[in-house]
């Protein structure tokens, strides 16, 4: 169910993702999937996963997707823009992020990430632009 090589890539390149407990389910240029387990320490007072935790999950997943779609000579990426629409709360189980490239250019990679709950319901939709370094 998890992808140890992908999880190691996330944790090595983004130590914050390890601190959050992000696990990678699969990673490749066309799709990167990761998940974050609900934990009370990551929640608001109402027991919902904090929006910042969900955004960090989406940003990390999108960043790896962008990295896997770098043009020749690209060394890395950095987020220059991110827009999130939150649609529902995650109060148990996992938040699962799926990132796909929308555009892989010479200077920017645009990635779309959807976050779903354990029931497959859409929790958030994120569009981010990563600058090529």
């Amino acid at each position: 169910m998890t992808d140890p090589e992908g999880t190691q890539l996330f944790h090595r390149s983004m130590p914050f993702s390890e601190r959050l407990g992000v696990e990678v389910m699969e990673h490749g240029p066309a799709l990167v999937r990761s998940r974050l387990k609900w934990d009370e320490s990551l929640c608001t007072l109402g027991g919902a996963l904090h929006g910042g935790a969900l955004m960090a999950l989406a940003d990390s997943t999108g960043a790896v997707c962008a990295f896997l779609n770098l043009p020749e000579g690209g060394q890395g990426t950095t987020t220059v823009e991110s827009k999130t629409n939150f649609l529902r709360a995650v109060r148990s189980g996992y938040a699962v992020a799926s990132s796909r490239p929308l555009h892989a250019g010479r200077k920017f990679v645009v990635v779309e990430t959807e976050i779903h709950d354990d029931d497959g319901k859409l929790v958030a939709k994120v569009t981010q632009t990563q600058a090529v370094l």
Side-chain angles (χ1 to χ4, degrees):
M1 179 107 188
T2 61
D3 173 352
E5 180 184 331
T7 300
Q8 191 174 57
L9 171 64
F10 268 56
H11 294 175
R12 186 177 60 250
S13 61
M14 298 171 288
F16 182 62
S17 69
E18 182 174 19
R19 176 168 268 200
L20 281 176
V22 174
E23 299 175 305
V24 176
M25 299 165 74
E26 64 181 286
H27 75 290
L31 175 66
V32 178
R33 291 180 62 230
S34 68
R35 67 185 185 178
L36 178 63
K37 185 173 177 38
W38 182 93
D39 186 278
E40 187 176 12
S41 69
L42 299 174
C43 291
T44 63
L45 289 177
L49 272 177
H50 191 284
L54 292 171
M55 290 174 76
L57 173 66
D59 186 61
S60 298
T61 307
V64 170
C65 184
F67 178 78
L68 294 173
N69 284 279
L70 281 172
E72 187 175 324
Q75 301 296 310
T77 70
T78 189
T79 305
V80 295
E81 188 273 337
S82 184
K83 187 210 184 293
T84 304
N85 287 99
F86 294 107
L87 306 170
R88 67 178 7 94
V90 175
R91 297 186 187 281
S92 64
Y94 287 90
V96 178
S98 300
S99 295
R100 292 175 174 80
L102 294 178
H103 170 76
R106 289 180 295 130
K107 297 189 183 252
F108 296 100
V109 179
V110 180
V111 177
E112 182 174 75
T113 302
E114 290 187 348
I115 301 176
H116 291 85
D117 64 14
D118 282 341
D119 293 327
K121 293 182 180 173
L122 186 61
V123 170
K125 192 149 198 160
V126 181
T127 304
Q128 68 179 241
T129 304
Q130 296 270 338
V132 174
L133 303 175

